[in-house]
């Protein structure tokens, strides 16, 4: 927490206002806050960012929707990889490149994907795709209610209020911590201003300082804890703070996003925050995380000026003005922090945060954002970690605030992607077409018990295919990748030997078992009349089931009923072949 001229150079946002303990703390300390919106990924909220091409050309609404929808496809593909059987972790960037290649994206689409991914991996995580774990980067990460807030007096006021009445030794640099073995009591902390002895010590050193080894431990930290420190990543988020005599940009627009050509975009900030909208200051803050942040923090003053002017021209075109003053943060070069906050690096997992949080005996405790298994990298994670250790030492669980309901970040991202897809499909399909598809779904025993509004959403997701008599939908041995519903016409289900198993008409569902078995098609399906098929790939079908558990329960109920109705000598393969034709 570090506030200069009313601007937070360190912590800036209360991420997730509703139920966040920092929100409650600010109220208790009478520190005013302002709700600025936003979600787990987008500063100020995706709907409210002003997206721009270099030169200041603002996105149309169609361009903006297209930008996020193509990225949603990539994020869905990454989720599919993450749910795969491989237990090996990989850098997020490597999996990203693989998914982009498989989707065969166009060059203009790559710029959009690059912006969205850079915003969350670089400017949010403080890392970058080359460092972030593809498998575990958000595993178990919890978020509070939708929307961020900012303390209008700056975060430092909160630290100062909490410090009132405490004996805090400034300018006292810790060099060594000697903690007791099992047969001795007490801890000795050696500093540049003498030694201190205590019954217990709580270590809240930033992960970057622990990684640097500038504070020695006697005895050395156990292998498990040292390994966790080594594996976890510690990122940088740099701020370039641009001051003007008065705003020349839209005063009420909270955040601006700059999408540029790859790889030139690697040198530019993805998002610029307008403090005129939140704090009434004639000031813009350019965020730059990961390797870009490190480079900016080591640049000369003249290079920073050139970089800032170029960014402003790209963002606002000919209306851009030069700043009258520039400030920047240098957290990566600060010997007492070595960066901003932690992230899950390739080869690590959130379990490493839990390892780092474990005390050593009854004397050495650890707190700080990097010791939070579910909320790392945030102010509230550091605060809660401190209360956790206080409760542990005092043996008083009441010190911890009551646990407020939180959401899993991965789940929230999925929900957002699903709702964006629903919105897009709703605009493409008319009500009559959606209702006709819903009527077909209601004919199926798999979907007939699903709530009407959920059924409409599923209807929006379906892709329509037509078949001529004699045309083959799929053949035995082919990979099963989607669920199919017969909307009209008739299909013949044929086994691997060419024998007709049965015929299926409107409302019949084909291929749903493949979602769980992962098997190849065990039957051939051929149209015997002109037919219309409604198809949904397994990935989106699974997203629908995750978003609407009642549909998942309905599908599981049908599946269990079919399995329990089998004769003892029947097998699941018989159900797959004979019942579903998948």
């Amino acid at each position: 927490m570090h506030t200069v001229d009313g601007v937070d150079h360190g912590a800036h946002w209360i991420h997730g206002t509703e139920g966040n303990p920092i929100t409650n703390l600010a109220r208790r300390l009478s520190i005013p806050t302002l709700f600025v919106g936003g979600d787990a990924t987008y500063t100020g909220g995706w709907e409210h960012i002003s997206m721009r091409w270099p030169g200041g050309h603002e996105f149309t609404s169609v361009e903006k929707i297209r930008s996020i929808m193509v990225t949603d496809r990539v994020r869905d593909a990454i989720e599919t990889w993450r749910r795969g059987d491989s237990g090996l972790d990989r850098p997020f960037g490597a999996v990203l490149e693989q998914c982009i290649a498989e989707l065969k994206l166009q060059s203009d689409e790559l710029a959009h994907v690059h912006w969205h991914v850079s915003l969350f991996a670089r400017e949010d995580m403080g890392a970058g795709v080359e460092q972030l774990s593809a498998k575990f980067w958000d595993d178990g990460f919890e978020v509070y209610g939708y929307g961020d807030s900012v303390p209008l007096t700056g975060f430092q006021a909160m630290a100062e209020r909490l410090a009132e009445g405490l004996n805090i030794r400034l300018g006292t640099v810790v060099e060594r911590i000697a903690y007791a073995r099992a047969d001795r009591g007490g801890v000795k902390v050696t500093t540049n201003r003498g030694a201190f002895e205590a019954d217990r010590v709580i270590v809240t050193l930033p992960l970057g300082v622990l990684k640097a080894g500038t504070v020695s431990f006697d005895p050395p930290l156990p292998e498990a804890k040292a390994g966790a420190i080594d594996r976890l990543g510690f990122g940088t988020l740099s701020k370039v703070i641009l001051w003007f005599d008065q705003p020349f940009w839209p005063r009420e627009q909270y955040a601006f996003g700059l999408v540029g050509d790859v790889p030139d975009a690697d040198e530019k900030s993805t998002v610029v925050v307008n403090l005129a909208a939140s704090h009434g200051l004639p000031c813009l803050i350019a965020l730059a995380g990961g390797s870009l942040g490190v480079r900016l923090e080591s640049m000369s003053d003249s290079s920073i000026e050139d970089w800032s002017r170029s960014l402003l021209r790209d963002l606002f075109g000919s209306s851009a003005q030069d700043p009258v003053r520039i400030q920047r943060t240098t957290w990566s070069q600060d010997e007492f922090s070595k960066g901003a906050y932690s992230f899950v690096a390739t080869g690590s997992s959130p379990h490493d945060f839990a390892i780092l949080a474990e005390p050593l005996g009854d004397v050495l405790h650890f707190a700080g954002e990097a010791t939070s298994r579910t909320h790392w990298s945030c102010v509230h994670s550091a605060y809660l970690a401190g209360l956790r250790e206080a409760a542990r030492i005092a043996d008083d669980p009441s010190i911890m605030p009551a646990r407020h309901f939180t959401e899993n970040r991965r789940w929230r991202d999925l929900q957002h992607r699903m709702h964006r897809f629903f919105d897009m499909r709703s605009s493409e399909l008319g009500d009559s077409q959606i209702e006709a598809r819903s009527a077909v779904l209601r004919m199926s025993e798999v979907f007939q018990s699903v709530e009407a509004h959920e059924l409409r959403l599923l209807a929006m997701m379906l892709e329509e295919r037509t078949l001529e008599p004699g045309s083959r939908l799929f053949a035995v041995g082919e990979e099963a990748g989607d669920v199919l519903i017969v909307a009209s016409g008739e299909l013949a289900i044929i086994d691997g030997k060419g024998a007709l198993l049965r015929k299926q008409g409107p409302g019949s569902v084909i291929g749903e078992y493949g979602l769980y078995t992962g098997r190849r098609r065990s039957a051939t399906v051929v149209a015997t009349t002109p037919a219309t098929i409604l198809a949904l790939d397994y990935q989106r079908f699974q997203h629908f089931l995750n978003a609407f558990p009642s549909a998942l329960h309905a599908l599981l109920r049908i599946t269990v009923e079919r399995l329990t109705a089998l004769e003892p000598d029947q097998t699941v393969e018989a159900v797959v072949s004979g019942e579903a034709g998948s």
Side-chain angles (χ1 to χ4, degrees), residues 12-20 23 26-27 31-40 42-48 144-153 252-255 273-274 277-279 412:
H12 188 107
W13 290 279
I14 301 172
H15 289 297
T17 301
E18 182 184 350
N20 191 309
T23 304
R27 290 170 182 161
I31 294 175
T33 61
L34 176 70
F35 183 80
V36 295
D39 52 46
Y42 295 98
T43 303
W46 164 248
E47 300 86 351
H48 304 297
Y144 290 97
Y146 183 91
D148 299 339
S149 294
V150 293
L152 292 178
T153 56
E252 302 305 317
Q253 178 61 50
Y254 181 64
V273 178
N274 171 23
S278 57
H279 293 69
R412 177 180 282 186

Side-chain angles (χ1 to χ4, degrees), residues 496-536:
K497 297 180 181 180
L500 177 66
L501 296 174
R502 72 184 188 286
K503 294 182 178 180
Q504 294 191 184
S508 299
V509 178
I510 303 171
E512 75 274 19
Y513 287 126
L515 179 66
Y516 304 106
T517 64
R519 299 169 184 256
R520 294 186 176 276
R521 304 293 191 187
S522 56
T524 297
V525 178
V526 178
T528 60
T529 67
T532 301
I533 304 298
L534 301 175
L536 184 63

Side-chain angles (χ1 to χ4, degrees), residues 77-157:
I78 292 172
E79 283 301 306
T80 298
W81 173 86
R82 186 151 58 172
R83 291 195 305 268
D85 295 331
S86 174
L88 298 177
D89 193 12
R90 295 178 64 191
F92 191 95
V95 177
L96 174 68
E97 291 180 4
Q98 174 185 320
C99 292
I100 287 174
E102 292 172 353
L103 291 171
K104 297 180 172 59
L105 299 185
Q106 303 299 314
S107 57
D108 61 327
E109 295 175 318
L110 294 179
H112 295 288
V113 173
H114 185 275
W115 182 86
H116 289 273
V117 171
S118 294
L119 177 58
F120 93 81
R122 194 181 71 186
E123 269 74 280
D124 187 12
M125 299 288 105
V129 295
E130 69 280 359
Q131 297 175 293
L132 206 60
S133 163
K135 209 168 190 67
F136 301 112
W137 70 271
D138 63 345
D139 187 66
F141 189 91
E142 296 179 2
V143 292
Y144 290 97
Y146 183 91
D148 299 339
S149 294
V150 293
L152 292 178
T153 56
F155 259 111
Q156 186 167 320

